[in-house]
Amino acid sequence: MGFLITTLIFSVIGVIASLCTSICCNRGPSANLLHLTLVITATVCCWMMWAIVYLAQMKPLIVPILSEGE
């Protein structure tokens, strides 16, 4: 459930950032395309980093070994 909600949050943030970029930095079609591409790429990269860290915690590769006293 947390994965889906956070994915939706990243999607909403990406849409809002894209709208803000196209409203605030309106310098022509070529510049708008560049800004939109950068915003979408940054949003996807941040989401992928979060997803990899989140999913890596579900099934860790290294299992902690407890000593006798613990």
Side-chain angles (χ1 to χ4, degrees):
M1 187 70 169
F3 189 82
L4 179 64
I5 291 173
T6 309
T7 301
L8 291 174
I9 290 171
F10 270 104
S11 300
V12 168
I13 289 172
V15 168
I16 291 171
S18 298
L19 289 174
C20 289
T21 302
S22 61
I23 291 171
C24 296
C25 302
N26 194 3
R27 296 188 181 154
S30 180
N32 284 344
L33 181 62
L34 175 65
H35 293 150
L36 185 63
T37 303
L38 291 175
V39 167
I40 290 173
T41 303
T43 305
V44 169
C45 287
C46 288
W47 175 82
M48 283 180 61
M49 184 64 192
W50 172 84
I52 289 169
V53 170
Y54 182 81
L55 293 174
Q57 295 176 19
M58 290 183 169
K59 185 107 173 141
L61 296 176
I62 302 171
V63 179
I65 300 172
L66 297 176
S67 63
E68 291 288 326
E70 295 182 18

